[in-house]
Amino acid sequence: MNSFIGWIGGKRLLRKEIVKRFPDSFNRYIEVFGGEAWTLFSKDRHVEMEVYNDYNSDLVNLFRCVKHHCPELQRELSYMLNSRELFDDFKGQCYIKGITDIQRAARFFMLIKTSYGADIKSFGCVKRNTAVMIEYLQEIEKRLSKVVIENRDFSDLIKVYDKPDALLYLDPPYHGTEKYYQAQFKKEDHIRLNVELKKLKGRFILSYNDDEWIRELYSDFRIETVNRNSNLVSRYSNKSHKYAELIIMN
Ligand SMILES: C[S@@+](CC[C@H](N)C(=O)[O-])C[C@H]1O[C@@H](n2cnc3c(N)ncnc32)[C@H](O)[C@@H]1O
């Protein structure tokens, strides 16, 4: 199934390549840098135990509200319009005191859906059928019904869920693109992640941009290169523009 939101760095185009590298057997699936969760949503269920995690609390609140309060969220959204004035209001309202989690989730959802490239900063001026978007949340509610949703820094999450039968999929902010995410990710965080993965008991699949420093950092692991189209360049120039991504595995 498709994700219900857009997100910077989403793995819509790469998810087939990722899933085909999954090991034959594992009993828990953990998506450590969840974002819009394309890889999680690529199957009705990967295994009995699935975990979605992201450090961005607005995003996690939205996932939790879809899972636990879907009809209430849909009702809240049904009063909202795709308009620049409301977009500007929502930007300020997400963080005011006194609104409920459902009201915050609805505003955050509209910011993602109506912004340019899901950047939640600039109004996208795109015609969207909000009724279809709102109805689709029911499918996501069903898909998330047994998924554990966490809001932790990756190293705390790995400490809790890493077991010999675990498969971790990790899609951290790419080296050099960290500024596009609300959650700060610094060079020391890339190094911290590398340290965690070196002592992992389970299996991992990690995606990154093709970057010399990352190749060096993970030189002890299996690294495969895949080429994919850039969505934005193809959309605006009518030409396909390929760039390389790394899939790193233990
Ligand atoms: C490249 S995106 C993930 C895209 C996702 N795989 C998809 O298909 O949509 C990276 C995500 O990592 C999250 N993140 C940043 N720092 C984090 C941290 N310290 N621990 C966990 N998640 C973090 C960001 O909020 C962002 O959603």
Side-chain angles (χ1 to χ4, degrees), residues 22-28 47 164-167 203:
F22 278 13
D24 293 336
S25 134
F26 56 97
N27 282 327
R28 43 173 68 194
V47 278
D165 63 355
L167 170 64
R203 304 284 302 271

Side-chain angles (χ1 to χ4, degrees), residues 136-241:
Y136 187 58
L137 293 178
Q138 277 157 240
E139 303 296 315
I140 301 292
E141 178 194 24
K142 269 188 242 147
R143 177 63 184 87
L144 292 178
S145 65
K146 290 193 177 164
V147 176
V148 179
I149 300 175
E150 291 275 22
N151 180 210
R152 291 174 172 229
D153 172 63
F154 64 84
S155 66
D156 298 337
L157 188 91
I158 293 173
K159 281 186 187 78
V160 174
Y161 289 101
D162 178 31
K163 294 274 177 319
D165 63 355
L167 170 64
L168 277 69
Y169 171 57
L170 308 105
D171 183 23
Y174 283 178
H175 185 223
T177 70
E178 300 87 345
K179 63 172 190 257
Y180 296 111
Y181 297 93
Q182 277 175 312
Q184 293 287 308
F185 208 84
K186 302 200 176 98
K187 191 161 190 169
E188 42 280 29
D189 296 313
H190 292 288
I191 295 170
R192 213 159 48 85
L193 176 61
N194 180 261
V195 171
E196 291 295 339
L197 293 181
K198 279 186 168 150
K199 52 184 196 211
L200 203 74
K201 300 187 200 92
R203 304 284 302 271
F204 78 79
I205 299 183
L206 167 69
S207 36
Y208 256 119
N209 47 335
D210 193 356
D211 177 280
E212 269 319 304
W213 184 69
I214 295 293
R215 279 185 181 271
E216 186 59 36
L217 203 58
Y218 285 92
S219 54
D220 294 345
F221 294 98
R222 193 150 53 100
I223 302 182
E224 294 180 12
T225 312
V226 289
N227 288 307
R228 74 156 169 118
N229 272 326
S230 159
N231 321 359
L232 278 178
V233 175
S234 326
R235 192 189 306 166
Y236 294 113
S237 71
N238 241 352
K239 287 184 200 142
S240 89
H241 178 88

Side-chain angles (χ1 to χ4, degrees), residues 4 29-32 34-35 37 40-41 49-69 140-141 143-152 157 161:
F4 65 111
Y29 174 71
I30 298 116
E31 207 153 302
V32 181
L40 178 80
F41 291 139
M49 181 177 183
E50 297 178 318
V51 181
Y52 166 92
N53 176 67
D54 201 283
Y55 201 51
N56 183 318
S57 56
D58 293 317
L59 189 60
V60 168
N61 176 56
L62 173 59
F63 269 72
R64 285 193 173 133
C65 287
V66 176
K67 176 179 171 177
H68 296 290
H69 308 292
I140 301 292
E141 178 194 24
R143 177 63 184 87
L144 292 178
S145 65
K146 290 193 177 164
V147 176
V148 179
I149 300 175
E150 291 275 22
N151 180 210
R152 291 174 172 229
L157 188 91
Y161 289 101

